[in-house]
């Protein structure tokens, strides 16, 4: 009898949305899999009726962080060398020398990056990460768990966390097949791969091509194109509230049409409050001409700052904030975790707004799933918060090169253009919406609502041959 126990490794809360709050688990049960979440988050998944095994000690080796950071720098160096494209420099974060410990770590990382910037050097760093992680209590406890439970596979929900390395290594050392899911559409050019698994599940043919390019040691047959469960909720029309109910719940005016302003985190867009203000000014102008419009402001879920407070207060007549329902459990961005309720809130926010305005967000695809347009902000404000920041840096990132053409979104090239762009978006320009949907097909395997099914098909294929 075939072993159908599948461990879903949640090294952090990033995977909750895709794999705990979607239909992924239910589909697995329908396919007669024994689905067990190997849970390193503070969330109690048993409350959702899920089987889980809590990870008690997920401490990586002290040197792993240094080797991981060096690996990223080396991979970016090699990408520049191979492509002769300096865009990869923009994915680096500045080294910190604020404390003695940080200064020592940064110095060692820089030294390793300098002395190991070759394919051979990278191989040595990858090997060192594995050697150090095998020394940890975490690795040995993972071995014990796996020996006791004997799953047919360990499926990791995110390729980025260090906390995924030890349990995946333990599985491989026991001959248990391992898979990782590439979490986001922009991850691969950024050199965010921390784990190495037997198989990789990706969003699209484009992402498969990128994976094989950036990681030449991965074989083509090890990559499965599945799509992401991230967008599946948009096709569950039964969860869309009536306009009256949604408006009443969120203090919206039923006599107005709303656009959504989708905020970014402070690193991606330090001038976001000013952009929101510019949009609010334009909405006031449009209302003075006889329109009845408002703004729903959905902030970035990991931004709990007060940087928007003044704008929200000054433009209360046109801006209504609807905050994401996420839980803040610590100070880092990765300790702010999604909730099941926020998936429905986001879907209903999209369903009951006319279009979205933001700076280069993947919300373009969420709105495309609802046959609605996205407007990208494409200008720098006069008094920038950071002198060396620019929208040009954002739109030069590799993931934007997948646009089939520039007509996939509405471009806001100056504050003066906002009003006319919003008017254009309100009439639902079919060419722009169609362009965004074509881009969506490039980014994510279609039909998007069947991603979880395709993931389970991939799991079946792997465990049947392993």
């Amino acid at each position: 009898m075939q072993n159908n126990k599948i461990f879903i490794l949640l090294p952090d809360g990033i995977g909750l949305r895709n794999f705990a709050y979607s239909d992924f688990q239910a589909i697995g049960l329908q396919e007669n899999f024994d689905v067990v979440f190997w849970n390193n988050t503070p969330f109690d998944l048993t409350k959702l009726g899920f089987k889980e095994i809590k990870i008690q000690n997920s401490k990586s080796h002290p040197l792993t962080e240094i080797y991981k950071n060096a690996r990223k720098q080396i991979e970016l160096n090699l990408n520049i060398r191979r492509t002769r494209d300096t865009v990869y420099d923009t994915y680096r974060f500045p080294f910190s020398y604020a404390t003695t410990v940080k200064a020592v770590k940064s110095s060692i990382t820089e030294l390793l990056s300098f002395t190991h910037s070759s394919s051979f050097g990278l191989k040595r760093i990858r090997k060192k990460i594995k050697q150090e992680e095998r020394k940890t209590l975490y690795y040995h406890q993972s071995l014990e768990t796996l020996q006791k439970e004997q799953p047919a596979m360990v499926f990791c929900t995110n390729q980025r966390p260090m906390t995924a390395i030890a349990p995946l290594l333990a599985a491989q050392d026991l001959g248990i097949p391992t898979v990782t899911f590439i979490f986001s559409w922009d991850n691969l050019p950024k050199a965010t791969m921390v784990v190495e698994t037997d198989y990789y599940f990706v969003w699209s043919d484009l992402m498969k091509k990128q994976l094989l390019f950036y990681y030449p040691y991965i074989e083509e047959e090890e990559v499965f194109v599945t799509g992401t469960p991230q967008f599946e909720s948009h096709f569950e029309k039964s969860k869309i509230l009536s306009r009256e109910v949604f408006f009443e719940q969120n203090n919206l005016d039923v006599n107005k049409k709303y656009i959504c302003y989708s905020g970014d985190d402070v690193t991606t867009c330090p001038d976001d409050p000013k952009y929101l203000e510019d949009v609010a000014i334009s909405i006031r102008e449009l209302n003075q001409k006889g329109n009845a419009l408002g703004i729903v402001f959905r902030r970035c879920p990991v931004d709990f700052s007060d940087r928007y407070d003044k704008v929200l207060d000054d433009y209360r007549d046109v801006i209504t904030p609807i905050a994401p329902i996420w839980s803040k459990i610590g100070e880092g961005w990765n300790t702010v975790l999604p909730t099941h309720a926020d998936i429905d809130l986001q879907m209903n926010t999209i369903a009951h707004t006319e279009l979205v305005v933001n700076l280069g967000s993947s919300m373009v695809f969420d709105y495309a799933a609802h046959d609605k347009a996205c407007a990208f902000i494409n200008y720098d404000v006069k008094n920038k918060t950071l002198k060396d920041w620019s929208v040009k840096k954002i739109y030069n990132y590799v993931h934007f090169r997948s646009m089939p053409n520039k007509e996939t979104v509405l471009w806001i090239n100056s504050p003066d253009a906002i009003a006319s762009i919003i008017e254009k978006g309100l009439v639902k320009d079919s060419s722009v919406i169609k362009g965004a949907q074509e881009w969506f097909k490039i980014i994510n395997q279609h039909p998007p609502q069947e991603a979880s099914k395709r993931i389970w098909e991939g799991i079946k294929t792997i465990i049947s041959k392993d």
Side-chain angles (χ1 to χ4, degrees):
M1 186 176 172
Q2 188 177 39
N3 179 3
N4 279 350
K5 182 184 285 188
I6 307 298
F7 263 30
I8 309 300
L9 174 62
L10 284 167
D12 62 10
I14 294 294
L16 285 169
R17 178 187 172 120
N18 283 339
F19 298 101
Y21 301 154
S22 68
D23 288 336
F24 174 79
Q25 189 258 6
I27 293 169
L29 295 180
Q30 288 168 12
E31 296 285 342
N32 295 317
F33 285 102
D34 181 8
V35 184
V36 180
F37 284 86
W38 204 5
N39 187 5
N40 192 44
T41 79
F43 276 47
D44 181 0
L45 295 180
T46 62
K47 289 181 179 178
L48 298 177
F50 296 174
K51 283 187 182 180
E52 74 167 6
I53 293 175
K54 281 283 192 183
I55 292 173
Q56 300 300 330
N57 179 1
S58 58
K59 195 172 181 181
S60 297
H61 193 280
L63 293 176
T64 300
E65 184 182 6
I66 293 172
Y67 286 125
K68 180 204 81 166
N69 291 338
R71 174 180 176 168
K72 178 182 173 108
Q73 298 299 323
I74 294 164
E75 287 181 356
L76 293 173
N77 291 343
L78 294 177
N79 290 344
I80 292 170
R81 202 176 299 163
R82 285 196 295 165
T83 63
R84 298 182 181 177
D85 189 340
T86 57
V87 68
Y88 298 98
D89 277 330
T90 63
Y91 295 127
R92 303 183 199 271
F93 289 101
F95 289 105
S96 174
Y97 292 87
T99 66
T100 302
V101 172
K102 287 180 179 178
V104 170
K105 284 183 176 180
S106 294
S107 298
I108 298 172
T109 301
E110 287 195 274
L111 179 63
L112 287 171
S113 305
F114 178 74
T115 57
H116 288 71
S117 276
S118 65
S119 297
F120 178 72
L122 176 60
K123 196 171 182 179
R124 286 187 64 191
I125 294 294
R126 288 167 48 209
K127 187 176 179 182
K128 287 297 291 181
I129 290 172
K130 294 172 186 175
Q131 285 175 344
E132 301 306 330
E133 284 300 289
R134 284 190 174 101
K135 297 174 185 175
T136 63
L137 174 64
Y138 182 25
Y139 167 80
H140 290 286
Q141 288 180 336
S142 297
L143 275 178
E144 287 176 14
T145 299
L146 292 168
Q147 285 169 330
K148 179 184 175 184
E149 297 292 330
Q150 297 188 344
M153 172 189 285
V154 176
F155 178 95
C156 182
T157 57
N158 181 2
Q159 86 288 352
R160 290 163 42 168
M162 282 198 306
T163 48
I165 300 172
L168 289 169
L169 271 177
Q172 289 171 324
D173 291 345
L174 292 171
I176 299 167
T178 57
V179 177
T180 192
F181 179 75
I182 306 300
F183 166 68
S184 188
W185 70 312
D186 64 349
N187 279 181
L188 292 174
K190 287 180 175 179
T192 64
M193 183 85 81
V194 171
V195 303
E196 294 181 23
T197 50
D198 303 304
Y199 301 94
Y200 301 82
F201 285 15
V202 298
W203 289 28
S204 62
D205 289 327
L206 171 67
M207 193 181 273
K208 177 178 179 178
K209 186 177 177 183
Q210 288 180 333
L211 183 66
L212 296 173
F213 175 76
Y214 293 119
Y215 299 93
Y217 59 82
I218 296 173
E219 300 292 337
E220 186 170 358
E221 60 270 19
E222 295 168 359
V223 185
F224 288 72
V225 176
T226 61
T228 173
Q230 180 175 324
F231 303 107
E232 289 181 339
S233 63
H234 298 312
F235 301 90
E236 297 178 28
K237 302 301 183 187
S238 63
K239 293 186 179 179
I240 296 178
L241 302 172
S242 70
R243 189 172 190 269
E244 292 72 23
V245 169
F246 182 77
F247 274 48
E248 184 180 349
Q249 284 181 354
N250 294 284
N251 300 312
L252 301 175
D253 184 344
V254 291
N255 297 309
K256 289 183 179 179
K257 286 185 175 182
Y258 286 85
I259 68 161
C260 176
Y261 187 95
S262 173
D264 274 297
D265 62 86
V266 68
T267 303
T268 303
C269 189
D271 296 316
D272 217 35
K274 177 55 182 165
Y275 290 126
L276 176 59
E277 181 178 32
D278 287 350
V279 175
I281 291 168
S282 298
I283 291 293
R284 276 183 177 172
E285 290 172 0
L286 288 168
N287 286 344
Q288 286 168 4
K289 294 177 182 176
N291 292 283
L293 300 172
I295 300 168
V296 165
F297 172 54
R298 179 178 165 91
R299 68 166 63 225
C300 173
V302 297
D303 184 355
F304 286 86
S305 71
D306 60 0
R307 64 189 184 126
Y308 296 100
D309 288 1
K310 187 175 188 308
V311 178
L312 295 175
D313 190 52
D314 290 348
Y315 295 88
R316 279 177 291 177
D317 56 315
V318 291
I319 305 175
T320 304
I322 301 180
I325 308 171
W326 284 45
S327 294
K328 190 173 191 292
I329 310 175
E331 293 307 312
W333 69 268
N334 58 346
T335 60
V336 183
L337 304 180
T339 65
H340 206 299
D342 189 57
I343 294 175
D344 291 347
L345 177 63
Q346 186 200 44
M347 178 179 61
N348 275 282
T349 300
I350 296 168
H352 295 295
T353 51
E354 307 300 312
L355 71 151
V356 65
V357 177
N358 61 42
L359 182 87
S361 161
S362 63
M363 284 285 277
V364 59
F365 306 121
D366 297 287
Y367 272 77
H370 287 257
D371 299 318
K372 295 179 181 182
C374 171
F376 275 174
I377 291 162
N378 191 36
Y379 64 90
D380 291 341
V381 301
K382 285 182 179 176
N383 299 308
K384 293 195 284 188
T385 304
L386 298 175
K387 292 284 187 283
D388 62 348
W389 183 89
S390 173
V391 294
K392 292 185 180 67
K393 175 184 175 183
I394 302 299
Y395 294 119
N396 192 43
Y397 286 147
V398 172
H399 58 286
F400 287 109
R401 300 176 189 179
S402 59
M403 271 189 179
N405 56 65
K406 291 297 182 184
E407 283 67 54
T408 54
V409 296
L410 300 164
W411 292 97
I412 300 175
N413 296 319
S414 72
D416 296 336
I418 295 173
S420 63
I421 291 294
I422 287 172
E423 286 179 314
K424 191 174 181 183
L426 288 170
V427 298
K428 293 191 168 37
D429 186 322
S430 60
S431 63
V432 171
I433 294 169
K434 187 177 178 182
Q437 289 169 340
E438 288 302 312
W439 192 16
F440 191 17
K441 288 177 184 175
I442 292 170
I443 288 297
N444 184 58
Q445 181 77 1
H446 274 50
Q449 62 268 40
E450 294 181 7
S452 290
K453 289 181 183 176
R454 287 190 292 267
I455 290 171
W456 282 112
E457 287 301 319
I459 289 172
K460 273 190 209 172
T461 300
I462 291 166
I463 64 171
S464 65
K465 67 180 180 182
D466 280 84

